[in-house]
Amino acid sequence: MGKPVVTDEDGTRWITLDRPEILNALSVGDLAVITEAVTGIGPDISAIVLTGTGDRAFSAGMHVNTFADATPDSGRAIISSVRDCVGAIRLAPVPTVAMINGYCLGAAFEMALACDLRVAHPEVRFGLPEVKLGIPSVVDAALLHHYVGLSKAKEIILTAGLYSVTDLATYGLANRIVPPAQLREAVLDLLAPITACTSEVIAAQKELFETWLNHGLQHGIDTSVDVFADLFNTPATLTAIAQYQMTRSRR
């Protein structure tokens, strides 16, 4: 138990946060391992799943000792590492899933928000406790209001409270809520139709989501037209269309 464990299985890269004795709390070194595991995928990897060891926590976020003696310079370095890690997850060209098996706090909550999809069990608790330490929630906490609305996002961040996955169910934060024993099965079921698509179209669609988040409506629409047209240069797209036509003709 220690640094995140990275394993590849049937085209899926599993990244498991592995300090269950401290609720899988993270160090700066762990962030580098995760970043490398996400950015270092090859063409044989079609999906990434993040989870935590044990049944108590996905992760409690950055270990509080990380900030104990921080200065403005070291604080910037720490949060820059968080930004780079969480950003790598958000910008990965393959689908990313957070398999959330317990407490999901701080930077780990931001990782879950940065993932494309989230699968959790009913006892999961989310929270952004940073303000209790006198530091703000930053980086991909900026995504929270897209999921739960600005009012609820402000409540979650400013109160630093814990919220159950069922508390947030009406906002659709989790794509699936299943019993703990069914988490892995639910993740694989959710990924199956996505990974059946071409890697090119999934990467392009994810880039468009990022464009839609960061730019105005018309820019997003115009960019979509260019991305759509460019994919017809991709042999995989032409093959997928032909296969789809063949399937339809058999019905």
Side-chain angles (χ1 to χ4, degrees):
M1 292 180 287
K3 290 191 178 299
V5 177
V6 181
T7 56
D8 297 339
E9 182 179 335
D10 298 326
T12 297
R13 174 156 292 181
W14 295 78
I15 302 172
T16 304
L17 312 180
D18 193 34
R19 288 196 177 89
E21 70 280 6
I22 51 173
L23 298 180
N24 298 319
L26 297 163
S27 69
V28 172
D30 295 335
L31 299 175
V33 173
I34 297 166
T35 303
E36 183 177 354
V38 172
T39 58
I41 61 171
D44 54 327
I45 298 299
S46 57
I48 296 170
V49 180
L50 286 94
T51 191
T53 295
D55 56 7
R56 296 180 62 208
F58 176 76
S59 171
M62 299 304 297
H63 196 290
V64 68
N65 289 350
T66 305
F67 307 107
D69 299 312
T71 65
D73 286 343
S74 62
R76 180 178 293 276
I78 292 165
I79 202 60
S80 295
S81 295
V82 175
R83 176 199 61 197
D84 294 345
C85 179
V86 178
I89 294 167
R90 191 181 73 253
L91 298 173
V94 299
T96 53
V97 183
M99 190 173 85
I100 306 167
N101 51 320
Y103 287 103
C104 182
L105 309 177
F109 190 7
E110 294 171 29
M111 288 182 183
L113 292 171
C115 284
D116 299 311
L117 305 165
R118 284 150 297 283
V119 176
H121 65 68
E123 302 306 313
V124 161
R125 296 291 184 271
F126 295 102
L128 292 166
E130 286 86 349
V131 296
K132 290 183 177 179
L133 305 179
I135 55 178
S137 292
V138 293
V139 193
D140 279 43
L143 289 171
L144 184 58
H145 75 277
H146 290 286
Y147 291 103
V148 302
L150 183 57
S151 180
K152 194 67 176 180
K154 285 187 175 184
E155 177 189 329
I156 292 169
I157 291 171
L158 295 177
T159 66
L162 291 178
Y163 292 79
S164 74
V165 69
T166 50
D167 289 336
L168 303 177
T170 56
Y171 301 99
L173 184 64
N175 298 88
R176 300 287 187 276
I177 302 174
V178 299
Q182 296 177 20
L183 283 172
R184 184 182 176 91
E185 179 184 358
V187 166
L188 295 176
D189 286 347
L190 195 54
L191 280 173
I194 304 173
T195 55
C197 299
T198 70
S199 60
E200 292 87 350
V201 75
I202 295 301
Q205 191 67 70
K206 288 197 61 176
E207 287 180 5
L208 283 174
F209 282 129
E210 197 67 17
T211 298
W212 296 339
L213 276 171
N214 287 287
H215 299 279
L217 176 62
Q218 192 60 53
H219 178 85
I221 291 171
D222 292 341
T223 301
S224 299
V225 170
D226 293 337
V227 171
F228 183 92
D230 288 346
L231 276 172
F232 285 93
N233 284 321
T234 306
T237 295
L238 303 179
T239 300
I241 292 170
Q243 290 175 339
Y244 186 80
Q245 287 177 313
M246 188 177 300
T247 302
R248 294 284 293 181
S249 67
R250 291 174 180 168
R251 292 181 181 176

